[in-house]
Amino acid sequence: MKTNWEAFAAAEPALAKTVEARFGAYTHHVLATLRRDGSPRTTGLEVRFLDGELWLGMMPDSLKALDLRRDPRFALQANPGEGTGMGGGDVRIGGRAVEVEDAETRGRYAEEVEPPEPFHLFRTELTEVVRTYVEDDTYLVVQVWKPGEPVRTLKRT
């Protein structure tokens, strides 16, 4: 099942709003991709939520872009910020990145974001969205969403 950001936000608007706010709180986040040998690579990345999509833009021939061209699976971790306060919780997104070659789509993105040229542009297909936070200084709460399923909430003491 291919699910973009718009479909996720329609299915789970409250969680989507929280996730967007966490990503919006800071500019740089952490992207995990798979190297040629299958080992993980983590790198910094800026993300954009535009036109119902979660976009990943990258410098030309960056290792993370080459990784995604070879194997589209990724994990994206929102910047937790300074200290241990993580207001809004810890947020991560898993999925597949699909490179966008269409000139019209790339042009709309470039007009809005003004990235340095040239650039790679990937739209995302979500396979999981996870939020972890502490409730009442007592419970660790984990919310997990997967396409076609309602959010599962787990609480631990």
Side-chain angles (χ1 to χ4, degrees):
M1 174 180 273
K2 294 180 181 179
T3 302
N4 69 355
W5 186 259
E6 182 176 47
F8 164 64
E12 297 294 342
L15 181 56
K17 184 177 179 182
T18 298
V19 171
E20 281 193 52
R22 288 295 298 125
F23 277 98
Y26 298 94
T27 302
H28 295 98
H29 307 286
V30 178
L31 177 71
T33 58
L34 295 169
R35 298 172 192 254
R36 183 173 290 133
D37 67 3
S39 63
R41 179 191 317 273
T42 58
T43 53
L45 180 76
E46 295 180 29
V47 302
R48 294 288 194 280
F49 296 90
L50 296 170
D51 300 326
E53 301 284 357
L54 168 57
W55 300 98
L56 312 176
M58 299 168 203
M59 293 179 7
D61 297 324
S62 64
L63 293 176
K64 59 191 160 197
L66 298 176
D67 287 347
L68 291 173
R69 280 180 160 178
R70 188 174 44 260
D71 186 326
R73 294 176 293 172
F74 73 89
L76 181 63
Q77 179 83 38
N79 185 330
E82 295 182 28
T84 59
M86 297 198 326
D90 176 63
V91 173
R92 62 189 181 277
I93 298 170
R96 286 178 291 282
V98 178
E99 190 161 15
V100 175
E101 303 284 354
D102 174 62
E104 184 179 327
T105 302
R106 290 175 56 82
R108 282 195 314 271
Y109 177 87
E111 188 175 301
E112 181 73 29
V113 177
E114 299 179 357
E117 295 278 352
F119 64 95
H120 291 284
L121 180 62
F122 295 85
R123 66 173 180 76
T124 59
E125 295 175 352
L126 310 181
T127 57
E128 180 179 68
V129 177
V130 179
R131 176 183 178 218
T132 305
Y133 62 98
V134 176
E135 184 178 276
D136 299 330
D137 292 327
T138 304
Y139 301 102
L140 178 68
V141 180
V142 181
Q143 294 177 297
V144 179
W145 173 86
K146 293 185 179 187
E149 300 177 15
V151 171
R152 284 185 307 131
T153 302
L154 311 162
K155 284 188 178 184
R156 298 182 186 145
T157 55

